[in-house]
Structure formats: C-alpha cells, structure tokens
Amino acid sequence: MLLVPLYEHPDDRPDDWELLIRSAGLLHSVVLNPASGPGEARDARFAVVAERLRDAGVPVLGYADTDYGRRPHADVVRDLLRHRDWYGADGAFLDQAAPDPALLGHYGRLAVAARAAGARTLVLNHGVHPDPGYAELADLVVTFEGPWDAYRNAAVPSWTADHPADRFCHLVYAVPPGAPAAELARQRRAAVHCAVPGTGAHPWGTLPNALRDAP
C-alpha cells in the first residue's frame, strides 16, 4: 500500500491530484500539507481534494511538523485541529519526529492529543529506526526517509520482527524507473511505502512511480 505525501497545490498539479484520487484502491493514506502545515487560513482547493479522497475511502492525514520534539505541544495540536476543522482530516502525520527514548513522553502526549482531535490514523515520521517504544504510540511508523542509493543498503534492526509489517513505512525518493522499491520494502518489513522520482530539496512534489506505471 502507498502512503503518498504530495506536497503540491491542486491548482498547480491538477492532473496529479486527479490521478491520486482515481488510484484510491492502491492507497493507504494521503498526507495533506497546504503550507508546511494547515496554513493560516482554509484553502478551498485543498478542502475539495481532501473531501474527494475521504469519499473514496482514503484516510487524509494532516501534516504537522514536530521539529524533533522542539516545537511546543500547543502549536502542533493547533495544526491538527485546523486540519480537522478546515479540511476534515481524519488522521495525523507528525513529521520530523524524534527517535530517541527521552522524548517518548512528549510524543505520547501528542498521540493522545491527536486521537482527541479525531485522528483515526496516526503516523510518526522519524525517517530512521527509532526507539522501539515509538511503535506502541502510532498506527504507522516511518522508519526510513531518504534517497534510493541509501535505501538499497539500509539495515533493519531486529526489534521490528516483534511487530507486524503493516506498522512500518518507508519513504524513498530519487527512485529510478523500474527500481524494485516495493519488493525491497516488503523484504525490510514495511508493508506501506512510497517511492518517487523526485530529487533535491523538494522530492515530494512528484507522484509515486507505482501510480505512474499503473494500468
């Protein structure tokens, strides 16, 4: 299954959003990120695509940056509430999540707040393998985010075998056409993934190769 962070405005990439919505059956969820978060005001076009995704049965995850535990709890929760109230988000994607055990309590409180804000699907994006305790806080833990060249040799810690593969996600960019990203994700115990061709500072402005290649 695909978790898709498409960080592009629907007015700028309407065809990509249409393809994403048509591909609902392949999707685990979609991250909604109007302005590195919900923005300062409701964006009507993002509200439309969010509603269409939900109508298609796809969880919509509101993006909130946690700055590796440095961002105040109240600011993160404010973003989640705006995603819920403005876009009907029914999930949360907490980005730049700290991996170390010292901040488990902080993220545990964020998890409780996200659930209270209506998040039925909670994703923590560490981008690396975190302390095993984080797997108990979220529905899905992103344990790799990086380029294809690094992913090909990425290691998997033994503790992941204590959890089902559908608790883990890998986000891979700079993936060449035909690269076996989905196969590698399965081998590395990640039932959810996203492999995009995008590179540079903004790789998540491109759709997954798997959607481009779908019949």
Side-chain angles (χ1 to χ4, degrees), residues 70-172:
R70 293 185 291 263
R71 192 161 181 237
H73 175 97
D75 291 353
V76 177
V77 174
R78 180 197 61 205
D79 281 358
L80 297 180
L81 292 173
R82 286 178 172 179
H83 277 297
R84 181 196 67 187
D85 296 341
W86 293 347
Y87 306 113
D90 48 9
F93 183 87
L94 301 185
D95 197 22
Q96 297 198 108
D100 53 297
L103 287 170
L104 274 166
H106 173 73
Y107 282 94
R109 291 186 290 275
L110 284 177
V112 170
R115 301 294 190 192
R120 294 196 292 270
T121 302
L122 176 59
V123 181
L124 291 176
N125 181 19
H126 303 277
V128 298
H129 282 93
D131 181 87
Y134 286 98
E136 306 300 329
L137 301 181
D139 300 295
L140 190 66
V141 178
V142 180
T143 56
F144 180 91
E145 181 177 356
W148 172 251
D149 285 347
Y151 188 57
R152 288 184 301 172
N153 299 308
V156 180
S158 60
W159 68 261
T160 61
D162 297 331
H163 302 274
D166 61 7
R167 299 290 296 279
F168 301 107
C169 174
H170 295 163
L171 302 178
V172 192

